[in-house]
């Protein structure tokens, strides 16, 4: 079964750090770009970051540039999001999502269940 | 405020058809044939319903259809069923810089 499972969320104080992980199974992880998408309480979805299949190309939402780092370990079939200097406005459910095509941007065909990040003192 | 504009809610009775809109700009929806729609039941993983504006992934009912005109994309659900009640989000590719933008979501209520 094709599956993504996020972990690493929790409660953190403003200015703190968290590392999210997303374990993939059921597909050739190394062939697909991956993304993180978040949903703040009562808000819509917001794309956060993306990484190419090999890990050499990364993209970020302007508001997280310089604070968040996306990475992947294809040998472990795992996607990561290192989040530093966290702010209250980063509070959200964070989803990892798989690109549907291995040949370029298309859509997100597989999503995880999400992990909750709460930034509060 | 989300980058793409969706109505907050739509509703319909079982068996009826509904259409929800997703309005962007010439920099996203209007420039790329890469609009997708996602169904999101509370507490579950979002599910891809439509990609490339009008294509359905394998396993998605043909009651779901998508279209686009200019800067506005639309999702139509025909023969409404109780299980269609969920939040629906649209998404568009927005180029190398911004990458992806989403709508604020539309809550579909099946009366």
């Amino acid at each position: 079964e094709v599956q993504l499972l996020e972990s690493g969320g929790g409660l953190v104080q403003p200015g703190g750090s968290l590392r999210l992980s997303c374990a993939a199974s059921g597909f050739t992880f190394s062939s697909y770009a991956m993304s993180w998408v978040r949903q703040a309480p009562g808000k819509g979805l917001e794309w956060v970051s993306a990484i190419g299949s090999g890990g050499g190309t990364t993209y970020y939402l302007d508001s997280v540039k310089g604070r968040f780092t996306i990475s992947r370990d294809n040998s472990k079939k795992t996607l990561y999001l290192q989040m530093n200097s966290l702010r209250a406005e980063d509070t959200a459910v964070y989803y990892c999502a798989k690109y549907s095509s291995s040949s370029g941007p298309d859509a997100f065909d597989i999503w995880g269940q999400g992990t909750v990040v709460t930034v509060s003192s | 405020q989300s980058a793409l504009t969706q109505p907050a809610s739509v509703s319909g009775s079982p068996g009826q058809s509904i259409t929800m809109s997703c309005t962007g700009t010439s920099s996203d929806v209007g420039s790329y044939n890469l609009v997708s729609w996602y169904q999101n039941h509370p507490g579950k993983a979002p599910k891809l319903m439509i990609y490339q504006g009008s294509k359905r992934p394998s396993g998605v009912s043909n009651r779901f259809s998508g279209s686009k005109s200019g800067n506005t994309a639309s999702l139509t659900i025909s023969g409404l069923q109780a299980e269609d009640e969920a939040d629906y989000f649209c998404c568009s590719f927005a180029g190398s810089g911004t990458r992806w933008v989403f709508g604020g979501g539309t809550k579909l209520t099946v009366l």
Side-chain angles (χ1 to χ4, degrees):
Chain A
E1 180 189 3
V2 179
Q3 193 172 353
L4 296 171
L5 185 61
E6 303 96 336
S7 61
L11 173 64
V12 62
Q13 292 187 338
S17 298
L18 276 178
R19 188 174 86 152
L20 306 183
S21 299
C22 171
S25 59
F27 66 97
T28 306
F29 181 72
S30 59
S31 294
Y32 294 90
M34 299 289 295
S35 265
W36 289 96
V37 178
R38 67 186 180 185
Q39 185 173 24
K43 304 291 186 180
L45 295 172
E46 181 177 53
W47 173 81
V48 174
S49 183
I51 186 167
S53 58
T57 306
T58 58
Y59 305 89
Y60 297 95
L61 182 68
D62 281 349
S63 62
V64 308
K65 278 181 187 174
R67 300 189 299 123
F68 290 11
T69 302
I70 190 171
S71 62
R72 63 192 296 163
D73 185 334
N74 285 345
S75 67
K76 294 183 178 179
K77 300 182 182 181
T78 302
L79 176 72
Y80 302 101
L81 186 67
Q82 177 67 45
M83 304 187 295
N84 300 330
S85 303
L86 282 161
R87 306 167 179 168
E89 54 265 35
D90 296 318
T91 294
V93 177
Y94 284 74
Y95 297 97
C96 64
K98 168 186 166 291
Y99 276 47
S100 56
S101 170
S102 60
S103 59
D106 193 359
F108 304 106
D109 64 343
I110 303 296
W111 296 63
Q113 298 268 18
T115 187
V116 178
V117 172
T118 303
V119 184
S120 174
S121 55
Chain B
Q1 188 169 351
S2 299
L4 303 180
T5 301
Q6 296 183 249
S9 63
V10 298
S11 61
S13 300
Q16 288 186 332
S17 294
I18 62 94
T19 297
M20 59 183 74
S21 61
C22 169
T23 301
T25 69
S26 58
S27 297
D28 37 64
V29 175
S31 285
Y32 303 96
N33 191 30
L34 291 174
V35 173
S36 48
W37 289 88
Y38 301 87
Q39 179 188 66
N40 191 200
H41 287 107
K44 301 190 73 175
K47 178 183 178 183
L48 176 65
M49 306 303 286
I50 296 288
Y51 67 103
Q52 293 181 16
S54 60
K55 296 181 179 180
R56 279 188 310 275
S58 174
V60 172
S61 170
N62 60 8
R63 298 186 298 106
F64 292 81
S65 62
S67 63
K68 191 186 87 167
S69 178
N71 297 336
T72 298
S74 298
L75 174 70
T76 297
I77 308 173
S78 59
L80 272 178
Q81 300 179 0
E83 58 262 37
D84 298 333
E85 187 164 290
D87 295 322
Y88 291 83
F89 293 92
C90 62
C91 175
S92 175
F93 185 67
S96 298
T98 310
R99 297 306 285 182
W100 300 95
V101 289
F102 283 89
T106 296
K107 181 175 181 58
L108 170 62
T109 301
V110 180
L111 302 171

